[in-house]
Amino acid sequence: MGEKQKAVDEIMLDRMKELKVETMYDRFQAQQPQCGYGSLALCCRHCNYGPCNIDPFGPGPKKGICGADANTFAGRHFLRMSGSGTACHSDHGRAVAHLLVSTARGEAPGYRIKDVDKLMMVAECFGVKTKDREVNEIAEEVGEMALMEFGKPYGTLLFLKRAPESRQKVWEKAGIAPRAIDREVCESFHRTGIGGDQDYRNLTNQSMRVALADGWGGSMIATELQDILFGTPKPVQGRSSMGVLKRDHVNVIVHGHEPQLAEAVVMASSDPEVTKAVHAAGAKGVVVAGLCCTANELLVRHGIPMAGHMTMQEAAISTGAVELMVVDIQCVMQAIIETSRHFHTKVVTTLPKAKIYGAEHVEFSDEHALDAAKKILLMAIENYKNRDNNKVFIPSSAEPNIIAGFSHETIKYMLGGRFRASYRPLNDNIINGRIRGIAGIVGCTSPRMEPGALAYANLAKELIANDVLVVTTGCAAGQCADGGLMLPELKDACGPGLKEVCEAVGIPPVLHSGACVDNSRILIACSEMVKEGGLGNDISDLPVVGACLEWMSEKAIAIGQYFVASGVYVVFGMNAPVAGAPDMQKLLTKDMEELVGARWDFERDIKKIGKMLMDHIEKKRDALGINIKKERKLYDMAERRALERECKPVPGHH
Ligand code: MSK
């Protein structure tokens, strides 16, 4: 039996070690042991009486100086994380809404309305008149209405009415229907200051409300308006791995989250001045590759290659083949500046709200996007001559290895057909048991996990073997792509029911739906399944689950909380962020079910998570009365190792 082939991140870590380039794994080790108080949410520094710690096990204090107890500490932390995550996605959504307005007014050269159908759908949802009006006129009003969602003084968010009525009633009854997005973020920080909200149950209600303002507000605005501007994703062939970089090309990596920058860089890459400069520099062309969620955005819309996910940003620079890494915001590590010093790579920041000390800054704006993008590309080309070919190490080839681009509209069309697009066939296949349920596998990658562990890919394999259709976004999607899970040929790894469906429809069993902001697509898919009928009256009735194995960002907490508050059972790997506060943890993992029909689970042993998800799916099927018992495939240790080997081997380096 041959040795397990190394994954790209393992190969690159070996290379970085050889070159003595520090990595996040080194810094992770240097941080051990990490602060126990912080890990358990038992450290509070919200005021200068503190920092206060609570000692849950020993003789130390059980309260902060103000008298706040462990549950209040943890409840505040959890709310601040939900608020911060919501702020990230929502500020992103606001930027897209501004771009839609400036595009409609003709003030953003290069951009245009690409999906008029989606514009009309959003217009209808916002109550914007469409009859006898120009597209740009409608788009301007839709953009302005979207901007109003951030700060309107009265009412709740307009997209909430896309949820099933039963769910809207749950939110009303619990008093958690979100009002303006900025209001929910602002109130979350207000409540968590010294002397504010000190009932962990009330704090948790607000964490649901602010998170819902993310999922059904800021994130949904970002996704829908991006689709209007850049196109709604459709199935597209793409590539994922660092092998997309080319030795004889100028390589530019676009990293971060907001696609307007990346789209401008792609547009500018075909500018005649850029082409001329590339040839003058002696290169065969320019490769623009994405990293992190920018990669997901470019991949699902255009099939533009993906160089890697979050934990691979230092590794990408360490190929020695990257002339320039241009970044916008979110999940960009300061460490890339230090990494770039070992090579010739330039790091360029672009947003006034996200600068990095040591990076060059080229200001990006909607009005001058193409000029900025061209300038950045010319900087990269100019830097090509500084590349040290002895340091170039590109770890894998670039065979087509993904079919991506599964928006909820695409899934509907593929399953139901162009002329009667509907979720009926999906619901029918769930009812007849060919598909047991749906799992959203989403979220970050983390140095807490062994490099090359491919945890998300292994979980996805386990689920599809049990006839569960997997939808994935964010860095989890990047890892599933690296694991070779996004090809229709993978149907042979499915259980017989799912295989039959994938064959009939021509889809892979693991569907790439976009970036972390695009989890809102999964909310809409769930709503449509309920509205289609036959699977209960609410999202909480569906055999649908969510999982995030390597959560890292506060955005992941906001996402988890909006899924739970929308009725979806969610399991997170790693540590529970409220583990030091038993009542708070019980609230999340048990009591929330009574309030919103769903709950969290936290499980350190990620090998148990597949079974937890399957158990929940079968429980929901039982409750719906659609269960024909099926023997489940549970994996023992030897089989799990076999799964790891089976996951698509990453081609060896050359
Ligand atoms: S980039 S938030 S590591 S998914 Fe969206 Fe990936 Fe998580 Fe950042």
Side-chain angles (χ1 to χ4, degrees):
M1 199 180 295
E3 207 185 315
K4 174 180 166 267
Q5 240 174 323
K6 285 188 171 179
V8 168
D9 45 359
E10 288 175 286
I11 295 167
M12 285 311 299
L13 279 174
D14 290 348
R15 173 67 176 166
M16 291 162 83
K17 206 169 182 182
E18 196 181 307
L19 296 178
K20 297 193 173 26
V21 177
E22 184 187 90
T23 70
M24 70 190 308
Y25 294 89
D26 298 325
R27 294 188 296 277
F28 177 71
Q29 283 310 324
Q31 286 291 338
Q32 302 309 314
Q34 286 175 291
C35 169
Y37 295 112
S39 306
L40 296 169
L42 295 180
C43 171
C44 178
R45 49 180 299 274
H46 293 193
C47 83
N48 204 37
Y49 290 158
C52 294
N53 294 153
I54 283 175
D55 177 3
F57 309 117
K62 302 291 180 248
K63 287 176 186 159
I65 293 166
C66 70
D69 63 14
N71 289 315
T72 300
F73 275 33
R76 284 172 178 163
H77 284 315
F78 198 77
L79 174 51
R80 284 206 172 184
M81 284 195 283
S82 306
S84 167
T86 299
C88 293
H89 286 144
S90 302
D91 209 35
H92 169 167
R94 187 197 325 261
V96 184
H98 275 294
L99 179 60
L100 182 62
V101 172
S102 38
T103 301
R105 289 180 184 159
E107 293 165 357
Y111 298 108
R112 65 187 172 86
I113 310 296
K114 283 208 179 137
D115 190 339
V116 176
D117 289 346
K118 182 153 276 197
L119 173 67
M120 297 304 164
M121 184 280 292
V122 178
E124 192 191 328
C125 201
F126 282 179
V128 171
K129 287 205 180 71
T130 53
K131 196 158 178 271
D132 300 328
R133 295 181 82 190
E134 294 289 326
V135 165
N136 280 339
E137 209 184 322
I138 299 166
E140 184 179 3
E141 193 176 337
V142 164
E144 283 172 344
M145 290 286 290
L147 289 169
M148 287 298 291
E149 290 295 273
F150 289 86
K152 62 186 181 186
Y154 307 109
T156 52
L157 294 177
L158 294 170
F159 276 153
L160 298 185
K161 60 183 181 227
R162 299 177 83 186
E165 271 179 33
S166 51
R167 186 53 25 188
Q168 296 178 45
K169 286 198 181 116
V170 170
W171 295 332
E172 271 163 40
K173 190 167 166 230
I176 56 171
R179 301 154 297 179
I181 299 161
D182 287 352
R183 177 174 182 179
E184 300 306 355
V185 173
C186 180
E187 187 173 309
S188 299
F189 283 84
H190 185 184
R191 284 181 184 224
T192 52
I194 169 75
D197 196 355
Q198 289 155 87
D199 180 334
Y200 69 98
R201 297 163 305 176
N202 208 37
L203 287 159
T204 304
N205 282 351
Q206 178 60 14
S207 73
M208 284 195 271
R209 183 153 59 172
V210 76
L212 289 168
D214 178 353
W216 297 87
S219 277
M220 202 170 276
I221 287 173
T223 298
E224 301 294 38
L225 271 50
Q226 282 169 187
D227 285 354
I228 292 170
L229 281 164
F230 310 126
T232 299
K234 296 189 178 60
V236 62
Q237 190 171 65
R239 291 167 292 152
S240 166
S241 99
M242 268 171 215
V244 300
L245 303 174
K246 291 187 184 159
R247 281 179 174 266
D248 49 9
H249 281 56
V250 172
N251 293 304
V252 177
I253 288 192
V254 198
H255 173 16
H257 278 77
E258 297 180 359
Q260 46 269 54
L261 166 70
E263 293 273 343
V265 171
V266 172
M267 282 189 268
S269 65
S270 52
D271 184 286
E273 198 184 329
V274 170
T275 314
K276 200 170 149 205
V278 173
H279 292 136
K284 288 200 172 141
V286 181
V287 169
V288 177
L291 199 123
C292 216
C293 274
T294 293
N296 292 316
E297 299 278 9
L298 288 176
L299 175 72
V300 294
R301 290 200 177 86
H302 311 298
I304 286 171
M306 173 175 211
H309 49 73
M310 160 78 196
T311 49
M312 294 161 94
Q313 53 195 288
E314 296 162 307
I317 292 175
S318 302
T319 58
V322 176
E323 274 55 58
L324 189 143
M325 181 179 276
V326 55
V327 304
D328 53 27
I329 198 161
Q330 297 174 28
C331 302
V332 179
M333 299 196 301
Q334 185 171 355
I336 56 176
I337 302 296
E338 190 53 41
T339 313
S340 71
R341 292 195 178 117
H342 291 265
F343 305 92
H344 70 303
T345 310
K346 280 182 191 292
V347 177
V348 175
T349 54
T350 50
L351 297 183
K353 60 186 161 193
K355 296 188 178 183
I356 308 177
Y357 186 76
E360 293 187 46
H361 188 77
V362 175
E363 193 101 341
F364 182 83
S365 67
D366 297 346
E367 293 72 20
H368 304 290
L370 279 180
D371 294 339
K374 199 160 111 181
K375 181 173 176 186
I376 290 163
L377 286 171
L378 293 173
M379 283 167 74
I381 294 164
E382 171 66 22
N383 198 25
Y384 183 64
K385 63 176 184 295
N386 298 322
R387 188 193 286 183
D388 178 350
N389 280 316
N390 294 321
K391 283 191 180 173
V392 173
F393 179 91
I394 301 176
S396 58
S397 65
E399 298 307 313
N401 57 4
I402 306 178
I403 303 290
F406 292 93
S407 56
H408 59 89
E409 291 90 345
T410 305
I411 296 171
K412 196 166 156 180
Y413 285 131
M414 292 204 72
L415 288 165
R418 183 73 182 89
F419 299 105
R420 51 174 286 272
S422 132
Y423 273 81
R424 189 73 253 155
L426 177 64
N427 283 20
D428 285 346
N429 278 312
I430 292 174
I431 293 165
N432 67 28
R434 278 195 195 94
I435 297 177
R436 308 302 292 174
I438 314 277
I441 298 186
V442 310
C444 320
T445 46
S446 167
R448 289 177 197 275
M449 201 64 78
E450 288 279 304
L454 291 176
Y456 288 109
N458 288 330
L459 176 63
K461 267 206 147 185
E462 183 170 349
L463 291 171
I464 63 173
N466 280 296
D467 292 316
V468 173
L469 180 67
V470 171
V471 181
T472 178
T473 63
C475 291
Q479 204 195 75
C480 286
D482 288 347
L485 289 167
M486 290 176 184
L487 283 176
E489 293 85 301
L490 204 84
K491 61 186 185 308
D492 291 334
C494 302
L498 181 62
K499 181 179 174 180
E500 205 179 310
V501 175
C502 290
E503 264 172 353
V505 181
I507 53 171
V510 178
L511 304 177
H512 190 326
S513 286
C516 51
V517 85
D518 292 326
N519 285 311
S520 55
R521 296 189 200 280
I522 303 177
L523 295 177
I524 297 298
C526 289
S527 299
E528 300 236 356
M529 285 166 70
V530 173
K531 289 173 189 170
E532 192 58 54
L535 289 173
N537 296 317
D538 182 43
I539 295 175
S540 61
D541 295 330
L542 298 172
V544 170
V545 293
C548 175
L549 303 183
E550 306 184 33
W551 75 274
M552 167 282 295
S553 167
E554 292 164 310
K555 288 179 285 175
I557 294 294
I559 293 167
Q561 186 71 330
Y562 74 62
F563 269 111
V564 174
S566 299
V568 178
Y569 169 67
V570 167
V571 185
F572 267 37
M574 310 281 158
N575 52 313
V578 296
D583 295 341
M584 177 67 196
Q585 180 138 340
K586 180 171 160 286
L587 174 60
L588 295 182
T589 55
K590 196 162 181 282
D591 305 344
M592 267 179 77
E593 186 138 32
E594 266 169 51
L595 202 61
V596 292
R599 64 187 181 89
W600 290 78
D601 253 330
F602 301 99
E603 178 52 62
R604 274 183 188 276
D605 183 354
I606 57 160
K607 294 185 176 64
K608 291 185 180 161
I609 291 178
K611 180 176 181 317
M612 292 164 77
L613 300 173
M614 284 306 303
D615 284 348
H616 186 82
I617 284 173
E618 294 303 328
K619 191 177 100 184
K620 289 292 169 186
R621 294 183 62 85
D622 283 338
L624 286 166
I626 56 170
N627 232 354
I628 303 155
K629 287 285 177 202
K630 174 181 178 287
E631 203 177 317
R632 209 170 311 155
K633 175 89 186 107
L634 297 178
Y635 286 77
D636 61 21
M637 279 304 290
E639 285 171 316
R640 279 186 169 276
R641 271 188 227 110
L643 270 186
E644 278 161 36
R645 281 194 299 274
E646 274 170 35
C647 270
K648 178 189 158 273
V650 176
H653 55 87
H654 45 74

